[in-house]
Amino acid sequence: MADELNTGLLLYIPYRSLESRVFAAVTEAGYEITTAQMKLMQRIGPNGTRLTDLAEQAQVTKQTAGVLVDNLEKGGWIERVDDPTDKRARLVRISAKAQKVIPIAEAAVAEVEAEWEAHLGREQLAQLRRILTRLREVTDPYA
Amino acid sequence: MADELNTGLLLYIPYRSLESRVFAAVTEAGYEITTAQMKLMQRIGPNGTRLTDLAEQAQVTKQTAGVLVDNLEKGGWIERVDDPTDKRARLVRISAKAQKVIPIAEAAVAEVEAEWEAHLGREQLAQLRRILTRLREVTDPYA
DNA sequence: GAAGATAGTCAGATAGGCTGACCAACGTCA
DNA sequence: TGACGTTGGTCAGCCTATCTGACTATCTTC
């Protein structure tokens, strides 16, 4: 269509590429988890996070977050515990199993980033991260 | 989880935010199309594109692209025509209906970009696009 | 205490994504 | 030219991701 891709697509293409690589690494290491699950899991805080907060962060509905959390729980990636501050709420916490997969995912990210850096140069990759981090301030419900 | 989000997520967050805005604008204008369909449609070239090429560009399987193209065809967004160069192949072409929605999507993108620009400054947004465009060279099967 | 808001779950529906398989058509090589 | 390997696109099956609507227990505010 257009020769000039819109910014959304320009953001999506590397994202998708990186995601596939991370997914492949995690799968190869013997773990079964989907990319959507990994994405949500990354938003869980160190002391646990409420489902509704996860939903907001991931910019999806409560129900979607609920299904993702259900499946994460079934896979042993998270546990749900009571929120001591509110009887309605639960906290979603990272499991020990998840702690094991994190370094694998991080190594895969690092490997891809090294390739990107080799292509762009260190300064441009750093600049990219800086700009994206600033962009979070207006695009991330939780920035 | 980590305070420092990985690059994939940093890319995904603004992408998702922009996508939601474009989807809302297109829906509000009375069109029914999903974000995945819009994404694929943007990869269709001016003289039509083969399904397998679309699949590769979108970094999805042939079958997934097939389903997306089926639904785009059902919605009147594309038409399938024979590929004169290869009897096995078809070309997926943009319909007249799709030409009407493009300006709406583009206007929505422009509006969001203006907000991002207001936040980042013109130079940083331009830099972001430049870097992402370069990054396509190693992340886009069709760059 | 009542009313409005919130957290999370249930239900229903559709789309998107993958794997495996298949057949027609193409391209390469002996 | 024919055999073989590859490619384009479709079928089939399955699971996940996503949305909307609805509900009840719990919380907050007045």
Side-chain angles (χ1 to χ4, degrees):
Chain A
M1 211 156 72
D3 284 338
E4 268 287 280
L5 296 187
N6 87 59
T7 305
L9 213 45
L10 285 178
L11 290 162
Y12 185 76
I13 290 164
Y15 155 71
R16 172 75 184 181
S17 178
L18 174 56
E19 174 190 79
S20 298
R21 293 281 294 276
V22 175
F23 178 72
V26 168
T27 302
E28 173 133 9
Y31 295 102
E32 285 185 22
I33 183 168
T34 67
T35 58
Q37 289 167 11
M38 282 193 281
K39 236 183 344 208
L40 192 80
M41 199 166 72
Q42 285 179 69
R43 312 291 286 206
I44 297 170
N47 302 307
T49 305
R50 287 187 182 177
L51 186 140
T52 46
D53 291 336
L54 290 176
E56 195 177 341
Q57 290 189 59
Q59 300 175 58
V60 297
T61 61
K62 292 187 291 186
Q63 293 87 340
T64 298
V67 169
L68 286 168
V69 167
D70 286 347
N71 290 334
L72 280 168
E73 189 176 30
K74 277 189 208 134
W77 303 106
I78 58 98
E79 58 195 1
R80 277 172 154 119
V81 299
D82 291 340
D83 183 338
T85 63
D86 186 335
K87 283 206 170 70
R88 296 171 301 183
R90 315 285 303 287
L91 290 179
V92 177
R93 289 210 304 223
I94 294 283
S95 72
K97 180 184 179 181
Q99 298 289 357
K100 294 206 186 78
V101 80
I102 291 169
I104 293 165
E106 283 176 346
V109 172
E111 186 179 328
V112 175
E113 282 182 340
E115 290 169 20
W116 291 3
E117 182 173 312
H119 185 71
L120 293 176
R122 170 186 284 179
E123 181 48 34
Q124 283 215 333
L125 183 62
Q127 177 78 314
L128 176 64
R129 284 187 57 90
R130 272 196 300 269
I131 295 171
L132 292 174
T133 300
R134 283 209 63 210
L135 203 45
R136 261 183 85 191
E137 292 160 7
V138 289
T139 58
D140 187 351
Y142 262 56
Chain B
M1 209 154 74
D3 284 340
E4 268 286 280
L5 295 187
N6 86 58
T7 305
L9 213 46
L10 284 178
L11 290 161
Y12 184 75
I13 290 164
Y15 155 72
R16 171 77 184 183
S17 178
L18 175 56
E19 173 190 79
S20 298
R21 293 281 293 277
V22 175
F23 178 72
V26 167
T27 302
E28 173 132 7
Y31 295 100
E32 283 184 24
I33 183 168
T34 67
T35 57
Q37 289 167 13
M38 282 193 282
K39 234 176 352 200
L40 193 81
M41 199 166 71
Q42 287 180 70
R43 312 292 287 209
I44 298 170
N47 302 308
T49 305
R50 287 188 183 179
L51 186 140
T52 46
D53 292 335
L54 289 177
E56 196 178 340
Q57 289 188 60
Q59 300 175 57
V60 297
T61 61
K62 292 186 292 182
Q63 291 86 342
T64 297
V67 170
L68 286 168
V69 167
D70 285 347
N71 290 335
L72 280 169
E73 190 177 30
K74 277 188 206 134
W77 302 105
I78 59 99
E79 57 195 2
R80 278 173 155 116
V81 298
D82 291 340
D83 182 337
T85 63
D86 185 333
K87 283 203 170 69
R88 296 171 301 184
R90 316 287 301 289
L91 291 179
V92 177
R93 290 210 303 225
I94 293 282
S95 72
K97 180 183 179 182
Q99 299 289 1
K100 293 206 186 81
V101 80
I102 292 169
I104 293 165
E106 283 176 348
V109 171
E111 185 178 330
V112 175
E113 282 181 340
E115 291 170 19
W116 291 1
E117 183 173 311
H119 184 73
L120 293 175
R122 169 185 284 179
E123 181 47 36
Q124 283 213 333
L125 183 61
Q127 177 79 315
L128 175 65
R129 284 187 58 88
R130 272 196 299 270
I131 296 171
L132 291 175
T133 300
R134 284 209 60 209
L135 202 44
R136 262 183 85 194
E137 292 160 7
V138 291
T139 60
D140 187 351
Y142 262 56

